[in-house]
Amino acid sequence: MSEQFPLPSQTSSSNYAIIVAGGSGTRMNAALPKQFLLLSGRPVLMYTLEVFSRSDAKPELILVLPQSYHIYWKDLCRAHNFNLPHHLVNGGDTRFQSVKNGLELLPDEALVAVHDAVRPTIDAATIDMSYQVAADKGSAVVAVMSRDSIRRVTENGSEALIRDEIYLVQTPQTFQATLLKDAYNVPYRNNFTDDASVVEQAGHSINVIPGNYQNIKITYPEDIAIAELLLKQKATL
Amino acid sequence: MSEQFPLPSQTSSSNYAIIVAGGSGTRMNAALPKQFLLLSGRPVLMYTLEVFSRSDAKPELILVLPQSYHIYWKDLCRAHNFNLPHHLVNGGDTRFQSVKNGLELLPDEALVAVHDAVRPTIDAATIDMSYQVAADKGSAVVAVMSRDSIRRVTENGSEALIRDEIYLVQTPQTFQATLLKDAYNVPYRNNFTDDASVVEQAGHSINVIPGNYQNIKITYPEDIAIAELLLKQKATL
């Protein structure tokens, strides 16, 4: 089910990060899944793994990737001299199943951050805050307030929602491991759009912590250039 | 209350656009309001006005700007040889009052698009669709589906909303003029975050039309570089 690549981790951290790279690239008009697209010449996924390894939390890294891409990923690691230790786990048919596969590697006493592979511009300070808050309160879900007015559109028309109450949820979403494992011990449901929704359905409340707008999710081809720009801005801070 | 600058419009269009530039720049850590920041060397506001003038709708342009910036704007127009005809109207204390001031120039039989001055990357095709749909249905409000999971956060905690129902509302928001003028003929309320919310409070339903994620609102300093990038991408399409 899992293997360690490129070499077994030597850490005994109780912090883990599950990096979910489930996408098969259907929305990018590209044969290549988004996590492999090049950001200033290097695959998106490498930036994402690196920022977690740079954080003070120094989590043990669990990369969940469709099995059909494991060899390709190893080739990429060799080609780019990417030597960051990480576990490699098979992805599932859904994001839910992918995370569930990653959870199997976790001891109960751990903290675990679940993060989208296609959010390479996350900053280490936010990652660290998420572990700190999750240690204290059980969960820490990174989110930003909406800049735009918000409208709920249904078959019966649309209605304005109260903007100040609406948060756009990002990742990382960080939890005490037992909490998250228990919550995932259910069948898949359609409204499981993120880990917070799974934990909430299990009856737990969710702590939201402030993220920032630079933590973008690479969803469309145009986003690659924006991510490159954001990484350059960070590098010059 | 209003004047025409740099020269009186020669059009007899029944299409109007109110470009709202109310911001005094408090969120940008900059003395200069966002609409005046430079995008590849030219003020944001000029791009916004130009894309409306390039649209097939060819609306008469009404720029609402705080009175204290009128002379500065005229100086900018001269310095940049910006000769696009537009009305110049005093801004109010709120966005609501600014739009209301702009509405005074409108004949009843017109269509009017209200657009944020700080959304210079809007495309002409979306503008035109908004006029077409508003002509047919009374309103057309540009919005995009949320890419992120959505959470409502209140004093009592947070709860996941159904992502597929949630739209992030942008501008333009285009209406039959009588509809919008009637709706604005009320005292200001705190939940008037956009024109759609004003029209909805007046008892009308709102039509949402699809926008795109490139129609960003310049809210933070980092957004300027992203807007430059998006404009360059458009220029090479």
Side-chain angles (χ1 to χ4, degrees):
Chain A
M1 193 68 193
S2 98
E3 52 185 315
Q4 284 191 290
F5 177 79
L7 33 98
S9 165
Q10 298 305 314
T11 66
S12 57
S13 167
S14 65
N15 291 337
Y16 287 77
I18 296 177
I19 308 299
V20 191
S24 55
T26 49
R27 268 190 296 192
M28 286 297 273
N29 301 319
L32 203 62
K34 297 163 282 180
Q35 62 267 19
F36 298 129
L37 293 178
L38 300 184
L39 272 181
S40 305
R42 298 172 71 231
V44 164
L45 190 43
M46 293 182 184
Y47 292 88
T48 308
L49 290 164
E50 280 171 349
V51 64
F52 273 84
S53 80
R54 277 201 310 272
S55 71
D56 291 340
K58 298 219 176 308
E60 194 153 337
L61 299 172
I62 300 170
L63 171 60
V64 188
L65 196 64
Q67 190 174 15
S68 53
Y69 286 107
H70 282 205
I71 290 172
Y72 179 69
W73 170 242
K74 292 176 188 178
D75 286 347
L76 281 177
C77 288
R78 270 184 289 271
H80 291 271
N81 288 318
F82 184 79
N83 295 313
L84 209 58
H86 59 280
H87 303 267
L88 191 55
V89 173
N90 290 345
D93 287 341
T94 58
R95 185 185 190 284
F96 175 83
Q97 188 58 54
S98 290
V99 173
K100 204 165 178 169
N101 292 354
L103 290 173
E104 290 184 12
L105 272 68
L106 261 63
D108 281 348
E109 75 282 9
L111 291 174
V112 58
V114 182
H115 187 70
D116 298 326
V118 291
R119 291 191 186 267
T121 56
I122 181 69
D123 59 290
T126 301
I127 291 170
D128 285 327
M129 192 200 294
S130 83
Y131 282 101
Q132 287 158 20
V133 172
D136 189 35
K137 299 192 174 176
S139 71
V141 169
V142 173
V144 292
M145 287 191 73
S146 176
R147 304 184 196 196
D148 300 309
S149 293
I150 297 289
R151 193 156 276 277
R152 171 184 277 148
V153 180
T154 63
E155 285 178 2
N156 303 320
S158 74
E159 55 163 347
L161 301 181
I162 300 172
R163 179 170 61 185
D164 292 351
E165 293 180 356
I166 304 298
Y167 283 72
L168 310 179
V169 181
Q170 305 175 340
T171 66
Q173 302 191 357
T174 306
F175 303 90
Q176 290 169 3
T178 47
L179 186 76
L180 193 61
K181 289 203 277 189
D182 287 350
Y184 265 85
N185 196 19
V186 294
Y188 173 68
R189 292 163 68 156
N190 253 333
N191 59 351
F192 286 162
T193 58
D194 62 353
D195 308 287
S197 58
V198 177
V199 169
E200 190 168 67
Q201 296 265 354
H204 302 283
S205 64
I206 298 297
N207 291 296
V208 171
I209 66 169
N212 66 66
Y213 295 97
Q214 284 71 55
N215 179 17
I216 67 166
K217 185 174 182 175
I218 295 178
T219 316
Y220 298 99
E222 306 82 54
D223 300 334
I224 285 289
I226 293 174
E228 285 178 349
L229 184 73
L230 292 169
L231 290 170
K232 273 178 208 156
Q233 286 177 345
K234 274 191 197 180
T236 59
L237 282 182
Chain B
M1 193 67 191
S2 99
E3 53 186 315
Q4 283 190 291
F5 177 78
L7 33 99
S9 166
Q10 299 303 314
T11 66
S12 58
S13 168
S14 65
N15 292 336
Y16 288 76
I18 297 178
I19 308 298
V20 191
S24 55
T26 49
R27 265 190 297 191
M28 285 296 273
N29 301 319
L32 202 61
K34 296 164 282 179
Q35 63 267 18
F36 298 129
L37 294 178
L38 299 184
L39 272 181
S40 306
R42 297 172 71 230
V44 164
L45 190 42
M46 294 183 184
Y47 292 88
T48 308
L49 290 164
E50 281 171 349
V51 64
F52 273 84
S53 79
R54 276 202 311 273
S55 71
D56 291 338
K58 298 220 173 308
E60 195 154 335
L61 299 172
I62 300 171
L63 171 60
V64 188
L65 197 64
Q67 192 175 14
S68 53
Y69 286 106
H70 283 205
I71 290 172
Y72 178 69
W73 170 242
K74 291 176 188 180
D75 288 345
L76 282 177
C77 288
R78 270 183 290 271
H80 291 271
N81 287 318
F82 184 78
N83 295 312
L84 210 57
H86 59 281
H87 303 267
L88 192 55
V89 172
N90 291 344
D93 287 341
T94 58
R95 185 184 190 282
F96 176 82
Q97 188 58 53
S98 291
V99 173
K100 203 164 178 169
N101 292 352
L103 289 174
E104 291 184 10
L105 271 68
L106 259 63
D108 281 348
E109 75 282 8
L111 291 173
V112 58
V114 183
H115 187 72
D116 299 327
V118 292
R119 291 190 187 268
T121 57
I122 180 70
D123 60 291
T126 300
I127 291 171
D128 285 327
M129 192 200 292
S130 81
Y131 282 101
Q132 286 158 19
V133 172
D136 189 35
K137 300 192 174 175
S139 70
V141 169
V142 173
V144 292
M145 288 191 73
S146 175
R147 304 186 197 194
D148 301 308
S149 293
I150 298 290
R151 194 156 276 276
R152 171 185 275 146
V153 180
T154 63
E155 286 178 359
N156 303 321
S158 75
E159 54 163 347
L161 301 182
I162 300 171
R163 179 171 63 185
D164 292 350
E165 293 180 356
I166 304 297
Y167 284 72
L168 312 180
V169 181
Q170 305 174 341
T171 66
Q173 303 190 0
T174 306
F175 303 91
Q176 291 169 3
T178 47
L179 186 76
L180 193 60
K181 288 204 277 189
D182 286 352
Y184 266 85
N185 196 19
V186 294
Y188 173 68
R189 291 163 69 155
N190 254 333
N191 58 352
F192 286 163
T193 58
D194 63 352
D195 308 286
S197 57
V198 177
V199 169
E200 190 168 68
Q201 296 264 351
H204 302 282
S205 65
I206 297 296
N207 291 296
V208 170
I209 67 169
N212 65 66
Y213 294 97
Q214 285 70 55
N215 179 18
I216 66 166
K217 186 174 183 175
I218 295 179
T219 315
Y220 299 97
E222 305 83 55
D223 299 333
I224 285 287
I226 292 173
E228 286 178 348
L229 183 74
L230 292 170
L231 290 170
K232 271 177 209 157
Q233 286 178 344
K234 274 191 199 183
T236 59
L237 282 183

